[in-house]
Amino acid sequence: MNRIQSQIKQLPLTNVILQDRFWSEYIQLVRDVVVPYQWEALNDRIPGTEPSHAIQNFKIAAGLAQGEFHGMVFQDTDVAKWLEAVAYLLASERDPELEQIVDGVIDVIAKAQQEDGYLNTYFTLKEPGKRWTNLAECHELYSAGHMIEAGVAYYKATGKRNLLDVVIKFADHIDDVFGYTPGKLQGYDGHQEIELALLRLYDVTGNEKYVRLSQFFLQERGKDKNPHFYDVELEKRGNTTHFGRWMLDDKTYSQAHELVTKQDRAVGHAVRFVYMCTGMAHLAAVTGDSEMLEACKRLWDNMENKQMYITGGIGSQQHGEAFSIDYDLPNDTVYAETCASVGLVFFAQRMLMLQPHGRYADVMERALYNTVIAGMSQDGKSFFYVNPLEVHPQACKANHKYHHVKTVRQSWFGCACCPPNVARLLASLGQYVYTSREDTVYANLYIGGEAKLELAGAQVQISQHSNYPWDGDIYFTIDTDRTAEFTLAVRIPGWCEGASISINGDDQPLTAIVVDGYAMLSREWKPGDQVQLVLPMTVERMKGHPLVRHTAGKTALQRGPIVFCLEEADNGPNLHQIYLLKDAELNTELDVSLFRGVQVIKAAGVRQCSDNWGDSLYRRNPKVEEIRSELKFIPYFAWANRGEGEMRVWIDEK
Amino acid sequence: MNRIQSQIKQLPLTNVILQDRFWSEYIQLVRDVVVPYQWEALNDRIPGTEPSHAIQNFKIAAGLAQGEFHGMVFQDTDVAKWLEAVAYLLASERDPELEQIVDGVIDVIAKAQQEDGYLNTYFTLKEPGKRWTNLAECHELYSAGHMIEAGVAYYKATGKRNLLDVVIKFADHIDDVFGYTPGKLQGYDGHQEIELALLRLYDVTGNEKYVRLSQFFLQERGKDKNPHFYDVELEKRGNTTHFGRWMLDDKTYSQAHELVTKQDRAVGHAVRFVYMCTGMAHLAAVTGDSEMLEACKRLWDNMENKQMYITGGIGSQQHGEAFSIDYDLPNDTVYAETCASVGLVFFAQRMLMLQPHGRYADVMERALYNTVIAGMSQDGKSFFYVNPLEVHPQACKANHKYHHVKTVRQSWFGCACCPPNVARLLASLGQYVYTSREDTVYANLYIGGEAKLELAGAQVQISQHSNYPWDGDIYFTIDTDRTAEFTLAVRIPGWCEGASISINGDDQPLTAIVVDGYAMLSREWKPGDQVQLVLPMTVERMKGHPLVRHTAGKTALQRGPIVFCLEEADNGPNLHQIYLLKDAELNTELDVSLFRGVQVIKAAGVRQCSDNWGDSLYRRNPKVEEIRSELKFIPYFAWANRGEGEMRVWIDEK
């Protein structure tokens, strides 16, 4: 296996302690509310919501309870993602009581595991003997991947091998079943996830067979097209389908239409796409496969530059929860699943492991501060699956084109992928802040806290604090056990103009030292060195690319990484009647009444009146009365926390 | 039965000969192409299209062929609507060869009719014994209605009773089956049509039982809600459904959620709605039922003022081919079925029989000159079902939200309702031009030709000629067998400002004589009197009501009754980048190369360029280069006759 020369590393979560005005409360919410709430949900104890049955399925498979399997084919993953989230929380703060619950669940899971290592309650309980006969639809390897991620995370957090051993046994079983050796199954899952999970298993075990297996799945994908693997399977099992033919017929849905290294556009189901790319990028980082690296860059380019909402949402159509064509980004019939933006953060993080370029961190930040946290309510108890950029609640109810767009967050879903996905991302946020390569540490995100790592042979602790994202002044303090020469690379975000840096009060000219979006502060660092990064945060009037039909002539306000929106609660109904004045000052102020205290933008606008229009739906050259009106924009992530109402991100200017 | 005092009459088609530069070619196309083509389609002789099987079903039911029923439950109506169209053509020009074909078809239909009068090939062949068990879904009375309309039309055109006798026997059978008498079925069809058809049967037979039966169906609709008639049926037949539950569960879909006289909004399936309203208005005209009249006005108001596209399209959502909420009129995910606009013309015509108000004729004209004829290609061989106001072909293919929007007209549909509906409307256009009441004749539409009628005891012939809709100068010549005092009421369209009229060269002051949109020219008319109506046709910049989100800030050009659009063929791709300059002159010119020669509008605009934008999807304060560009607008109805491309009606101004 070819190793690449300088591997970029994520810092272990146990080496990072976050203490951030903005994010710590989110993480506390995950600890105090989301995780306990989801635990109740997994155990079918939330009144008024559809029972999950996820824990019960494991108990039945373990022989600890009687009954039948209930739920989706991938119901196990709700437990796995919950376990993973809990593991991340334990990494930063051990909690014996919580660990006892987790260990109890792991006991049940271990008992549900079959002799040969196989672990999947759907096939064990509902379709015994049908294992690995419908990879295209039944998410067996996908579910395996999530359990592997949980096992790895729990081991890294606690050092306990209980779940790790289970997933190693399972991964070894998968390795026995799949491969090129005659008699082995030569196929791949309809929902990518195993690929990235096996690489994480490699990270903790060092066992290269998991790299080879991940590589196998990625290399097989989209390979034999005549007949296609899905169709071979389909015929073998007598043409039965689980979800329906279209998913099998449309090979682009699961990115199985073409070899992954030949793909050049983001297509199909958005979550599948970013999970696949996460695996591809991770694999390229491990193996140094340049063809894979180029494919990752190509796919990233297409996604970022042609198919991403300004909020970091991806997947613009409901059908197939999928990408559309380039520049087709409708704001109202949008999909932009929360999980897809979570997966986008994973993909970005793996790209940062391949190549330290600010663009990946920029997108990561865009997704995090906008769509990902918009997915969760202020109280952590309800979630959006779909994240629209324009909402008219009555139309959403009356017109089926918008029916998938919910105007109020839902407590738990029949297919409950988003809540635990948000939880596991927030709980592991610490590992996204820094990456390191040799004697360089990259500050990718501006989230306060402390990180420990070794650089140039020294033990280094970096403290970061700020009032980000509301304020662009970010302070770093370097502590080392001795003077050491290394580079602190601080990201200069793409949204920022006029950044400045001082070290111990001395201004640092940036022109010469900014490389690929990072200011490379190379010097002999002494204990107590202070770095101040100043990122001027002006409110920007953002425009969409001229090829985007749905932003034509419109403006969105952005300040720092935060995208803003108008909400009915502040601006009254009929937001489409509102124009932001082109010369209006855009003033920020703190609104302590909203969410946990957020900055809002106030600006002069006009509102068209319908009062004197009359009855006619269409009129020639009408005089439309306009009233000057103060507009209030709130951060997009904070929308829909004050009852149901209209919202829009892109507005007209005048 | 209460008669209203002054009944407004339609002129019989046999009394009207159209000779019009614009419409005669359409009607000739129906005669030369559409009707023969549809005859081939009905006989399954169009290569490459799904066989209709409609004639074959009748042959099998008649015992003249072997085989099984194929097609939709309402497949018979394709034959009925074709027969009706042919009948209208024969009314203005007899054609022995065509009549021979028709009489042949009628022979088959008569043989397919059952002993008791029942006539429906689906139930006769496929579900014998199941008659009238699923009115909610299976269109039995709907199909009956179409056959009745054909029978009436053929009788009126030719005086032949062959089909009329068949449908009278059928109507009498229906009257035996349905009604309040104990033992009779107390219900109504899921798709309105029988109501309007029975009133047309009454018009030719004078038999009031058809009025009572129509009234029965309208009075029953939405009456018993607990349990609802559909649910009673459903339970009786063991809970089987034909199309699926939603159609039964959503009572608004077929306007069966409420008594028709209590309904106050256009809801549900748009075609069903306008067919129902047509029946309601006709019934109110016959019976003088003021509650019914008020309901018609209320429903019309809602439809016209809150739910109609500028093109006269109605039904803004695909799901249920239905109305949405007020002011929800998306241009790209639109439905606006051709048939719904055809039905809208029917509804408008019946409203003109209730109350001579220009608004009804205005909407009739809007639908006719825009959506109805947009439904058909220039060669009469292909048809739109859905009539979008904004199309981006690649997006229509890639994003399922627009999948129902076809960018190229289709040759024939599996559910082939629109082509024969357009054909029967165009073939009967003559009867929409004038209505009369006592000694007043109303000129509702400006379509050239001659009409004969009796007014004030005199035999009057009105000749009309013009170059409408391209020119607003309309000439009438009055011929009478003697001097007579009557009123010629000429409509002053709502789109027109500054109309003027002269009689024999003498200007007529209009202020005092315009009543409800008609200039009432009352005088002693002499043979040879000349009326010149001048309707100034300036190109108007139309705006949508401030409550319509999808037209906010946009403009549509309209000249006379014609709505214009930009097409890619003239203006290149990315039409959303185009702005019409606010102060641009809007110049019309004749384009002989397009369609059969149409007026186009040329105007100065600017086009934003994407060339220098760069890769980023979003930019702050970008300088977007603009190129001045001459824009060319073509009539909406003429779009999509020059290959596939973008189109939009509503554009931005600058």
Side-chain angles (χ1 to χ4, degrees):
Chain A
M1 212 172 289
N2 267 331
R3 297 306 173 125
I4 52 173
Q5 292 310 304
S6 55
Q7 205 176 330
I8 303 171
K9 296 190 201 107
Q10 228 179 7
L11 303 201
L13 203 50
T14 44
N15 285 18
V16 186
I17 296 166
L18 294 191
Q19 196 162 11
D20 184 79
R21 288 199 204 172
F22 187 84
W23 288 104
S24 290
E25 286 189 63
Y26 273 101
I27 296 166
Q28 200 57 38
L29 198 64
V30 171
R31 188 182 298 274
D32 294 345
V33 179
V34 183
V35 158
Y37 182 86
Q38 293 183 351
W39 175 244
E40 294 303 297
L42 292 171
N43 285 282
D44 314 330
R45 293 191 293 250
I46 308 283
T49 57
E50 213 178 316
S52 154
H53 216 262
I55 293 287
Q56 188 65 9
N57 288 335
F58 277 105
K59 286 185 179 162
I60 299 166
L64 302 171
Q66 297 291 313
E68 289 177 2
F69 177 92
H70 285 289
M72 310 290 280
V73 283
F74 47 81
Q75 204 72 2
D76 292 357
T77 60
D78 287 351
V79 177
K81 283 192 276 187
W82 181 82
L83 284 170
E84 192 186 343
V86 173
Y88 296 136
L89 294 176
L90 294 170
S92 49
E93 190 181 328
R94 299 291 290 265
D95 176 340
E97 207 180 318
L98 189 53
E99 274 180 55
Q100 204 182 340
I101 293 173
V102 170
D103 290 333
V105 176
I106 294 172
D107 279 349
V108 176
I109 292 171
K111 288 202 178 81
Q113 186 169 35
Q114 307 294 292
E115 270 308 299
D116 58 3
Y118 185 80
L119 177 61
N120 181 304
T121 71
Y122 174 80
F123 281 96
T124 300
L125 298 176
K126 198 156 177 180
E127 299 212 59
K130 297 268 179 76
R131 283 186 198 181
W132 316 122
T133 59
N134 190 350
L135 287 159
E137 292 180 289
C138 288
H139 295 68
E140 266 167 301
L141 292 169
Y142 167 83
S143 300
H146 275 300
M147 198 57 82
I148 290 168
E149 287 201 274
V152 169
Y154 196 56
Y155 168 72
K156 286 171 77 173
T158 64
K160 292 186 190 173
R161 295 191 57 100
N162 46 356
L163 191 54
L164 183 66
D165 287 338
V166 166
V167 300
I168 285 175
K169 190 175 171 190
F170 191 10
D172 291 346
H173 172 66
I174 293 168
D175 192 52
D176 290 341
V177 173
F178 289 89
Y180 295 113
T181 316
K184 284 194 178 185
L185 192 49
Q186 206 170 328
Y188 48 89
D189 208 74
H191 196 316
Q192 301 90 322
E193 156 69 21
I194 187 71
E195 304 82 359
L196 74 90
L198 287 167
L199 294 165
R200 298 189 64 187
L201 187 58
Y202 162 72
D203 283 346
V204 295
T205 62
N207 189 338
E208 291 193 0
K209 82 171 171 184
Y210 303 131
V211 179
R212 284 191 297 268
L213 188 56
S214 174
Q215 197 170 32
F216 165 82
F217 287 129
L218 284 169
Q219 281 174 350
E220 282 303 292
R221 184 160 223 95
K223 188 171 162 189
D224 292 317
K225 280 179 268 188
N226 205 6
H228 189 276
F229 168 65
Y230 292 169
D231 301 317
V232 173
E233 267 198 330
L234 179 67
E235 207 189 316
K236 268 196 203 156
R237 67 173 182 272
N239 292 300
T240 59
T241 65
H242 192 88
F243 292 108
R245 276 300 295 250
W246 71 266
M247 201 177 269
L248 301 178
D249 290 342
D250 179 6
K251 307 295 190 287
T252 61
Y253 171 70
S254 52
Q255 299 84 30
H257 58 298
E258 181 62 272
L259 283 176
V260 302
T261 48
K262 302 287 178 212
Q263 295 186 25
D264 57 6
R265 287 192 63 248
V267 296
H269 187 251
V271 172
R272 282 170 167 80
F273 173 80
V274 281
Y275 281 20
M276 175 179 84
C277 291
T278 301
M280 288 167 66
H282 198 150
L283 186 70
V286 170
T287 62
D289 178 342
S290 60
E291 198 187 359
M292 192 65 84
L293 169 64
E294 288 310 313
C296 287
K297 284 185 179 175
R298 214 161 49 228
L299 292 171
W300 178 278
D301 271 356
N302 177 264
M303 178 192 67
E304 181 194 346
N305 290 333
K306 294 184 177 162
Q307 300 204 65
M308 185 182 69
Y309 287 97
I310 193 168
T311 51
I314 50 171
S316 71
Q317 65 170 318
Q318 179 199 11
H319 180 84
E321 304 173 325
F323 290 99
S324 179
I325 51 168
D326 293 351
Y327 304 112
D328 183 45
L329 294 163
N331 296 307
D332 52 357
T333 63
V334 49
Y335 207 70
E337 186 182 339
T338 306
C339 281
S341 290
V342 169
L344 175 54
V345 172
F346 301 156
F347 182 18
Q349 195 273 336
R350 300 308 193 280
M351 290 307 285
L352 287 173
M353 282 167 62
L354 272 173
Q355 192 183 19
H357 197 300
R359 67 184 294 195
Y360 304 120
D362 283 354
V363 169
M364 181 192 280
E365 185 178 76
R366 189 182 285 285
L368 267 178
Y369 284 91
N370 299 289
T371 295
V372 170
I373 51 173
M376 193 166 78
S377 63
Q378 187 175 353
D379 64 5
K381 287 186 179 169
S382 56
F383 298 85
F384 278 135
Y385 202 87
V386 168
N387 294 283
L389 282 79
E390 181 181 319
V391 155
H392 187 277
Q394 295 92 310
C396 286
K397 284 169 192 128
N399 189 330
H400 274 242
K401 288 289 168 202
Y402 325 113
H403 254 210
H404 61 293
V405 177
K406 301 301 172 210
T407 53
V408 172
R409 292 179 183 79
Q410 310 288 301
S411 64
W412 190 258
F413 299 93
C415 168
C417 58
C418 298
N421 236 350
V422 171
R424 70 183 179 129
L425 176 60
L426 293 178
S428 63
L429 199 58
Q431 62 190 10
Y432 297 91
V433 182
Y434 299 100
T435 42
S436 71
R437 175 167 67 177
E438 293 170 346
D439 297 341
T440 302
V441 58
Y442 295 91
N444 302 310
L445 296 177
Y446 296 120
I447 301 180
E450 292 175 2
K452 286 179 192 146
L453 73 165
E454 198 183 299
L455 285 168
Q459 295 303 316
V460 180
Q461 176 173 306
I462 304 173
S463 303
Q464 186 189 136
H465 78 270
S466 71
N467 189 26
Y468 200 84
W470 310 125
D471 184 326
D473 289 6
I474 297 136
Y475 303 89
F476 295 89
T477 307
I478 307 297
D479 272 306
T480 62
D481 56 354
R482 55 180 177 79
T483 298
E485 201 175 324
F486 62 84
T487 302
L488 171 65
V490 297
R491 179 176 139 255
I492 310 298
W495 53 257
C496 182
E497 202 155 8
S500 62
I501 293 177
S502 64
I503 301 178
N504 301 326
D506 297 336
D507 285 347
Q508 308 289 313
L510 287 189
T511 323
I513 60 165
V514 174
V515 179
D516 290 344
Y518 287 87
M520 308 300 282
L521 307 175
S522 304
R523 58 186 271 137
E524 199 162 82
W525 294 92
K526 297 181 307 293
D529 276 348
Q530 304 270 345
V531 177
Q532 186 185 3
L533 167 65
V534 178
L535 302 173
M537 279 192 180
T538 49
V539 181
E540 302 289 354
R541 291 173 188 249
M542 303 298 292
K543 307 281 178 182
H545 192 287
L547 290 173
V548 180
R549 299 189 303 288
H550 304 91
T551 59
K554 295 188 191 300
T555 296
L557 297 187
Q558 183 175 337
R559 180 175 179 274
I562 300 286
V563 173
F564 287 76
C565 65
L566 289 177
E567 230 191 356
E568 183 175 342
D570 302 306
N571 302 286
N574 298 310
L575 297 178
H576 66 275
Q577 296 178 340
I578 287 176
Y579 291 79
L580 173 65
L581 292 177
K582 280 190 176 160
D583 57 1
E585 274 186 44
L586 305 168
N587 299 309
T588 57
E589 62 181 60
L590 183 69
D591 185 336
V592 290
S593 71
L594 183 61
F595 223 63
R596 297 173 191 91
V598 299
Q599 274 190 358
V600 299
I601 300 167
K602 293 199 172 163
V606 292
R607 169 187 274 284
Q608 295 195 328
C609 293
S610 39
D611 302 355
N612 301 322
W613 175 279
D615 287 335
S616 295
L617 202 39
Y618 307 101
R619 289 182 55 190
R620 54 176 188 273
N621 283 321
K623 292 253 179 304
V624 180
E625 208 184 320
E626 287 179 350
I627 309 171
R628 242 187 119 89
S629 167
E630 184 176 63
L631 310 181
K632 180 175 171 184
F633 295 80
I634 66 162
Y636 173 74
F637 72 80
W639 88 280
N641 278 290
R642 294 172 296 173
E644 192 175 39
E646 291 180 37
M647 182 276 290
R648 60 170 56 200
V649 170
W650 291 100
I651 58 159
D652 289 305
E653 279 185 319
K654 185 161 257 188
Chain B
M1 213 172 289
N2 266 331
R3 297 308 174 120
I4 53 173
Q5 291 309 304
S6 54
Q7 205 176 333
I8 303 169
K9 297 191 199 105
Q10 228 178 6
L11 302 201
L13 203 50
T14 43
N15 285 17
V16 185
I17 297 166
L18 294 191
Q19 196 162 11
D20 184 78
R21 291 199 203 172
F22 187 84
W23 289 104
S24 290
E25 287 190 62
Y26 273 100
I27 296 166
Q28 200 58 39
L29 198 64
V30 171
R31 188 181 298 274
D32 294 345
V33 179
V34 183
V35 158
Y37 182 87
Q38 292 184 351
W39 175 243
E40 294 304 298
L42 292 171
N43 286 281
D44 315 329
R45 292 191 294 250
I46 308 283
T49 57
E50 212 179 316
S52 153
H53 215 262
I55 293 286
Q56 188 66 8
N57 288 336
F58 277 106
K59 285 184 182 163
I60 299 165
L64 302 171
Q66 295 293 312
E68 288 178 3
F69 176 92
H70 285 288
M72 310 289 280
V73 283
F74 47 82
Q75 205 71 1
D76 292 357
T77 61
D78 286 351
V79 178
K81 283 191 277 188
W82 180 83
L83 284 170
E84 192 186 342
V86 173
Y88 296 136
L89 294 176
L90 294 170
S92 49
E93 191 180 329
R94 299 292 289 265
D95 176 340
E97 205 179 320
L98 189 53
E99 274 179 57
Q100 205 181 341
I101 293 173
V102 170
D103 289 333
V105 176
I106 294 173
D107 279 349
V108 176
I109 291 171
K111 287 201 179 82
Q113 186 169 35
Q114 307 295 293
E115 269 308 298
D116 59 3
Y118 185 80
L119 177 61
N120 182 303
T121 70
Y122 174 81
F123 280 95
T124 299
L125 299 176
K126 197 157 178 180
E127 300 212 59
K130 296 267 180 76
R131 283 185 197 181
W132 316 123
T133 59
N134 189 350
L135 287 159
E137 293 180 290
C138 288
H139 295 68
E140 266 167 300
L141 291 169
Y142 167 84
S143 300
H146 275 301
M147 198 56 84
I148 290 169
E149 287 202 275
V152 168
Y154 196 57
Y155 168 72
K156 286 170 78 173
T158 64
K160 292 186 191 174
R161 294 191 57 100
N162 46 356
L163 190 54
L164 184 66
D165 287 337
V166 167
V167 300
I168 286 175
K169 192 177 168 189
F170 191 9
D172 291 345
H173 172 66
I174 293 168
D175 191 52
D176 290 341
V177 173
F178 289 88
Y180 295 113
T181 316
K184 285 194 178 186
L185 191 48
Q186 205 170 328
Y188 48 90
D189 207 74
H191 195 316
Q192 302 91 321
E193 157 69 20
I194 188 72
E195 304 82 358
L196 74 89
L198 286 166
L199 294 165
R200 298 190 64 188
L201 187 59
Y202 162 73
D203 282 347
V204 294
T205 62
N207 189 338
E208 290 192 1
K209 82 171 170 184
Y210 303 130
V211 179
R212 284 191 297 268
L213 188 55
S214 173
Q215 196 170 33
F216 165 82
F217 287 128
L218 285 169
Q219 282 174 348
E220 282 303 293
R221 184 160 221 94
K223 188 171 163 190
D224 292 316
K225 280 179 268 187
N226 204 4
H228 190 276
F229 168 64
Y230 293 170
D231 300 317
V232 173
E233 267 198 332
L234 179 67
E235 208 190 315
K236 268 195 202 158
R237 68 174 181 272
N239 292 299
T240 59
T241 65
H242 192 88
F243 292 107
R245 276 300 294 250
W246 72 266
M247 201 177 270
L248 300 178
D249 289 343
D250 179 6
K251 307 296 189 288
T252 62
Y253 171 72
S254 52
Q255 298 84 30
H257 58 297
E258 181 61 274
L259 283 175
V260 302
T261 48
K262 301 289 178 210
Q263 296 186 25
D264 57 5
R265 287 193 62 248
V267 295
H269 186 252
V271 172
R272 281 169 168 80
F273 174 80
V274 281
Y275 280 21
M276 175 178 85
C277 291
T278 301
M280 287 167 67
H282 197 151
L283 185 71
V286 170
T287 63
D289 178 341
S290 60
E291 199 187 356
M292 191 66 83
L293 169 64
E294 288 310 314
C296 288
K297 285 186 178 175
R298 214 161 50 228
L299 292 171
W300 177 279
D301 272 356
N302 177 263
M303 178 192 67
E304 180 193 347
N305 290 332
K306 294 183 176 163
Q307 301 204 66
M308 185 181 70
Y309 288 97
I310 194 168
T311 52
I314 50 171
S316 71
Q317 66 170 319
Q318 178 199 13
H319 180 83
E321 305 173 324
F323 290 98
S324 179
I325 51 168
D326 294 351
Y327 304 112
D328 184 45
L329 294 163
N331 297 306
D332 52 358
T333 64
V334 49
Y335 207 72
E337 185 182 338
T338 306
C339 281
S341 290
V342 169
L344 175 54
V345 172
F346 300 156
F347 183 17
Q349 194 272 337
R350 300 308 194 280
M351 290 307 285
L352 287 173
M353 282 168 63
L354 272 173
Q355 192 183 20
H357 198 299
R359 67 183 296 193
Y360 304 120
D362 283 355
V363 169
M364 180 192 279
E365 184 178 76
R366 189 182 285 285
L368 266 178
Y369 283 91
N370 298 288
T371 294
V372 170
I373 51 173
M376 193 165 81
S377 63
Q378 188 174 354
D379 63 6
K381 287 185 178 171
S382 56
F383 298 86
F384 277 135
Y385 202 87
V386 168
N387 294 283
L389 282 79
E390 181 181 318
V391 154
H392 187 277
Q394 294 92 309
C396 285
K397 284 169 193 128
N399 189 330
H400 274 243
K401 287 290 167 200
Y402 324 115
H403 254 210
H404 61 292
V405 177
K406 301 299 171 212
T407 53
V408 172
R409 291 179 184 80
Q410 311 288 301
S411 65
W412 190 258
F413 298 94
C415 168
C417 58
C418 297
N421 237 350
V422 171
R424 71 183 179 129
L425 176 59
L426 293 178
S428 63
L429 199 58
Q431 61 190 10
Y432 296 90
V433 181
Y434 299 100
T435 42
S436 71
R437 175 167 66 179
E438 293 171 345
D439 297 341
T440 301
V441 57
Y442 295 91
N444 302 310
L445 295 177
Y446 296 121
I447 300 180
E450 292 175 3
K452 288 179 190 146
L453 73 165
E454 201 183 296
L455 284 168
Q459 294 304 316
V460 180
Q461 176 172 308
I462 305 173
S463 304
Q464 186 190 136
H465 77 270
S466 71
N467 189 26
Y468 201 83
W470 310 125
D471 183 325
D473 289 6
I474 297 135
Y475 302 89
F476 295 89
T477 306
I478 306 298
D479 272 305
T480 62
D481 55 354
R482 55 182 177 75
T483 298
E485 200 174 323
F486 62 84
T487 303
L488 171 64
V490 297
R491 179 177 139 256
I492 310 299
W495 53 257
C496 182
E497 201 154 10
S500 63
I501 292 177
S502 64
I503 300 178
N504 301 327
D506 297 335
D507 284 347
Q508 307 290 312
L510 287 190
T511 323
I513 59 166
V514 174
V515 180
D516 291 342
Y518 288 88
M520 308 300 283
L521 307 175
S522 304
R523 56 186 271 140
E524 197 161 84
W525 294 92
K526 298 180 306 294
D529 277 348
Q530 304 269 345
V531 177
Q532 186 184 3
L533 167 65
V534 178
L535 302 173
M537 279 192 181
T538 48
V539 181
E540 301 289 353
R541 292 172 187 248
M542 303 297 292
K543 308 280 178 183
H545 193 287
L547 289 173
V548 180
R549 300 188 304 287
H550 304 92
T551 58
K554 296 188 190 299
T555 296
L557 298 187
Q558 182 175 338
R559 180 176 181 275
I562 300 286
V563 173
F564 287 76
C565 66
L566 289 177
E567 230 191 357
E568 183 175 342
D570 302 307
N571 303 286
N574 299 310
L575 297 178
H576 66 274
Q577 296 177 340
I578 287 176
Y579 291 79
L580 173 65
L581 292 178
K582 279 189 176 161
D583 57 1
E585 273 187 46
L586 305 168
N587 299 310
T588 56
E589 62 181 60
L590 183 69
D591 184 337
V592 290
S593 72
L594 182 61
F595 223 60
R596 298 173 190 92
V598 299
Q599 275 191 357
V600 299
I601 300 167
K602 293 200 171 161
V606 292
R607 170 187 274 285
Q608 295 195 328
C609 292
S610 39
D611 302 356
N612 301 323
W613 175 278
D615 287 335
S616 295
L617 201 40
Y618 306 102
R619 289 182 55 189
R620 53 176 189 273
N621 284 321
K623 292 255 179 303
V624 179
E625 208 185 320
E626 288 179 350
I627 309 172
R628 242 187 119 88
S629 165
E630 184 176 61
L631 309 181
K632 180 175 171 184
F633 296 80
I634 66 162
Y636 173 75
F637 72 80
W639 88 279
N641 278 289
R642 295 172 295 174
E644 193 175 39
E646 290 181 39
M647 182 274 291
R648 61 170 55 200
V649 169
W650 291 100
I651 58 159
D652 290 304
E653 280 184 318
K654 182 161 260 189

